[in-house]
């Protein structure tokens, strides 16, 4: 199965033909309709752009951005995420995948995923969404965060043209997912917000074919694109990285408030929502901070959205740290449950008690997990088979 990098394609000439790896149209395929414009935009964000790094002309893996502001000097302000990068012609945004070409903002990650896999939906992690089914998973290059502990930094911190990729436009994604027998398509691995237009068009087509769409994200997205996305996605796992704005800036290169807004919007719009929190030693393992996070979740989102506490392992620029002690994860799980969160899971610790789903009323094991081997003996029609308590989730 041959792949071709964008750099190789450009070197071969813009009229050259890339080799297809999956079924799908061989020309630019854009379902996108009228672009949204706003009259004015925010000020520049210092250090948020790569100067003069955009290609001179768009190519077939590019599409005009969903939402941005045009300025009189042919600069543009991206409105996809809260960074709101202000880009002069030739500049590339913080995410590395959006560029200003002659006064028009383009996404360079449309129809060219750098990673494709068929995963258990539990890997996302989503524990209350169609257990034992698979998700057709795709990723585009780039990310709007700079997490020091990123586990997928090879693709999230890269520009699209430096990675080898597949050519797979939205209808090809949906067709391939159907052929793979996947119940859903997951936008994952790097940062789904970075390839928003590709995700949106794919999710809209997938819904027409009865295939679910899953947003796996840091939640750093602006209100307008998030509102549009809520119309076409079915589930989400948002990584709430900490509950302190200064720590968000230090560890991740973002801010806390927009992520909280995203969580509240997904909850309000009825999108199935699960939350992930990576417990990083020396950064996010402060008990008082975690207690505040749990209290906010219960107050703002309610007690029924699953919370996944993940064990940290040395990664990327935090490879000097030790893994999270298991006893810390166990203590945090107990704290979260004491705060009122009903479904709290422990990840990256095989055979921990916190990998199973229990009824919050009678404590019966409803879903048993051993790795990605899942049995579901205790749920019937979305309820505990023993006591009849409704279990929130998507079960059919």
């Amino acid at each position: 199965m041959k792949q071709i990098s964008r750099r190789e394609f450009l070197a071969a000439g813009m009229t050259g033909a890339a080799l297809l790896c999956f079924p799908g149209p061989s020309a630019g395929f854009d379902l996108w309709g009228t672009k949204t414009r706003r009259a004015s935009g925010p000020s520049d964000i210092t250090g948020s752009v790569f100067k003069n790094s955009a290609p001179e002309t768009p190519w077939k893996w590019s599409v005009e951005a969903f939402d941005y502001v045009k300025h009189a000097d042919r600069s543009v302000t991206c409105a996809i995420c809260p960074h709101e990068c202000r880009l002069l012609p030739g500049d590339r945004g913080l995410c590395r995948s959006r560029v200003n070409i002659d006064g028009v903002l383009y996404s360079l990650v449309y129809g060219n995923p750098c990673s494709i896999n068929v995963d258990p939906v539990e890997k996302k992690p989503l524990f209350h969404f169609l257990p034992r089914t698979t998700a057709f998973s795709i990723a585009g290059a780039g990310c709007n965060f700079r997490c020091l502990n990123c586990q997928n930094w090879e693709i999230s911190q890269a520009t699209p043209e430096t990675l080898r990729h597949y050519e797979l436009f939205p209808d090809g994604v949906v067709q391939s997912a159907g052929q793979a027998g996947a119940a859903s398509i997951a936008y994952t691995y790097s940062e789904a917000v970075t390839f928003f237009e590709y995700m949106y068009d794919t999710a809209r087509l997938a819904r027409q074919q009865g295939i679910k769409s899953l947003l796996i994200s840091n939640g750093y997205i602006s209100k307008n694109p998030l509102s549009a996305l809520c119309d076409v996605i079915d589930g989400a796992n948002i990584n709430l990285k900490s509950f302190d704005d200064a720590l968000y800036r230090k560890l991740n290169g973002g801010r806390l408030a927009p992520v909280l807004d995203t969580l509240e919007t997904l909850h309000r719009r009825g999108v199935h929502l699960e939350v992930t929190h990576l417990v990083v030693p020396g950064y996010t393992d402060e008990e008082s901070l975690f207690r505040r996070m749990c209290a906010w979740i219960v107050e703002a989102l309610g007690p029924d959205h699953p919370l996944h506490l993940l064990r940290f392992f040395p990664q990327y620029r935090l490879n000097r740290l030790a893994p999270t002690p298991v006893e810390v994860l166990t203590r945090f799980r107990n704290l979260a449950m004491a705060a009122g969160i009903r479904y709290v899971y422990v990840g990256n610790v095989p055979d921990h008690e916190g990998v199973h789903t229990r009824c919050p009323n009678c404590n019966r094991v409803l879903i048993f997990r051993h790795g990605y081997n899942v049995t579901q003996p205790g749920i019937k029609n979305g309820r505990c088979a023993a006591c009849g308590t409704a279990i929130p989730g998507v079960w059919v």
Side-chain angles (χ1 to χ4, degrees):
M1 192 162 53
K2 183 170 176 61
Q3 305 167 16
I4 184 171
S5 71
R6 186 180 286 105
R7 178 173 291 173
E8 290 169 334
F9 179 84
L10 292 175
M14 292 300 296
T15 59
L19 298 177
L20 300 182
C21 302
F22 285 87
S26 58
F29 180 70
D30 179 14
L31 293 176
W32 208 253
T34 303
K35 311 298 186 297
T36 303
R37 298 285 189 271
R38 295 189 299 203
S40 61
S43 60
D44 293 334
I45 295 182
T46 303
S48 65
V49 298
F50 296 91
K51 299 295 184 182
N52 301 317
S53 64
E56 294 182 359
T57 58
W59 50 79
K60 69 176 179 178
W61 296 294
S62 64
V63 63
E64 187 177 0
F66 165 66
D67 194 7
Y68 65 100
V69 183
K70 287 188 171 184
H71 303 289
D73 61 354
R74 292 192 303 126
S75 68
V76 299
T77 299
C78 179
I80 294 297
C81 94
H83 286 310
E84 297 183 322
C85 296
R86 177 79 173 262
L87 309 177
L88 291 169
D91 288 348
R92 186 189 301 251
L94 176 68
C95 66
R96 295 185 170 95
S97 67
R98 294 177 181 273
V99 301
N100 179 349
I101 302 177
D102 197 26
V104 178
L105 184 64
Y106 287 93
S107 165
L108 302 181
V109 277
Y110 192 95
N112 57 336
C114 60
S115 183
I116 300 174
N117 288 290
V118 178
D119 297 321
V121 72
E122 288 81 8
K123 187 177 179 180
K124 297 302 107 186
L126 287 166
F127 279 11
H128 288 221
F129 192 95
L130 300 179
R132 299 184 295 178
T133 65
T134 56
F136 189 84
S137 302
I138 59 174
C143 182
N144 55 3
F145 272 9
R146 294 289 180 268
C147 298
L148 299 180
N149 58 293
C150 182
Q151 65 177 355
N152 289 318
W153 61 270
E154 295 95 338
I155 60 175
S156 70
Q157 305 304 308
T159 55
E161 66 272 18
T162 62
L163 297 178
R164 301 181 70 84
H165 65 270
Y166 306 88
E167 181 172 294
L168 195 64
F169 290 95
D171 63 340
V173 176
V174 176
Q175 182 181 348
S176 298
Q179 291 173 347
S184 58
I185 298 170
Y187 312 94
T188 182
Y189 299 141
S190 54
E191 175 44 56
V193 172
T194 300
F195 52 97
F196 174 85
E197 294 81 3
Y198 184 34
M199 170 172 54
Y200 179 91
D201 285 352
T202 302
R204 187 166 59 174
L205 278 181
R207 176 158 288 193
Q208 295 171 8
Q209 299 300 317
I211 299 175
K212 306 295 186 183
S213 283
L214 306 174
L215 169 68
I216 314 301
S217 172
N218 61 24
Y220 212 64
I221 182 172
S222 297
K223 292 181 179 180
N224 189 33
L226 177 60
S227 179
L229 195 60
C230 286
D231 291 333
V232 295
I233 63 170
D234 303 280
N237 185 300
I238 302 301
N239 193 334
L240 181 54
K241 296 178 183 292
S242 73
F243 206 69
D244 178 79
D245 190 72
L247 189 53
Y248 246 98
R249 293 173 184 269
K250 178 179 181 181
L251 185 62
N252 312 111
R255 292 177 287 126
L256 171 62
V259 181
L260 299 184
D261 289 343
T262 293
L263 289 166
E264 291 185 294
T265 298
L266 291 169
H267 169 70
R268 185 175 64 252
R269 292 289 298 272
V271 175
H272 175 80
L273 173 63
E274 304 191 21
V275 180
T276 289
H277 180 65
L278 180 68
V279 183
V280 183
Y283 288 90
T284 63
D285 58 349
E286 183 183 325
E287 188 172 304
S288 62
L289 201 63
F290 182 73
R291 287 178 183 272
R292 296 210 312 268
M293 186 186 83
C294 292
W296 180 88
I297 289 174
V298 173
E299 180 180 357
L301 308 179
D304 287 332
H305 294 294
L307 173 63
H308 300 262
L309 303 177
L310 301 187
R311 189 184 192 194
F312 165 86
F313 287 98
Q315 296 281 355
Y316 194 35
R317 296 183 177 179
L318 293 186
N319 56 9
R320 70 188 187 280
L321 299 182
T324 315
V326 174
E327 55 268 25
V328 171
L329 295 169
T330 301
R331 185 172 75 252
F332 273 30
R333 178 174 183 260
N334 292 336
L335 289 172
M337 296 174 70
I341 302 175
R342 293 178 179 144
Y343 306 96
V344 186
Y345 299 104
V346 171
N348 298 337
V349 184
D351 297 324
H352 193 282
E353 166 62 21
V355 302
H356 310 306
T357 298
R358 289 184 176 272
C359 175
N361 182 50
C362 70
N363 204 38
R364 179 181 178 179
V365 174
L366 306 178
I367 304 176
F368 179 86
R369 300 179 181 88
H370 180 74
Y372 297 126
N373 295 318
V374 180
T375 57
Q376 189 178 334
I379 294 183
K380 184 177 181 180
N381 298 324
R383 294 181 175 273
C384 172
C387 71
T389 298
I391 308 300
V394 179
W395 305 113
V396 178

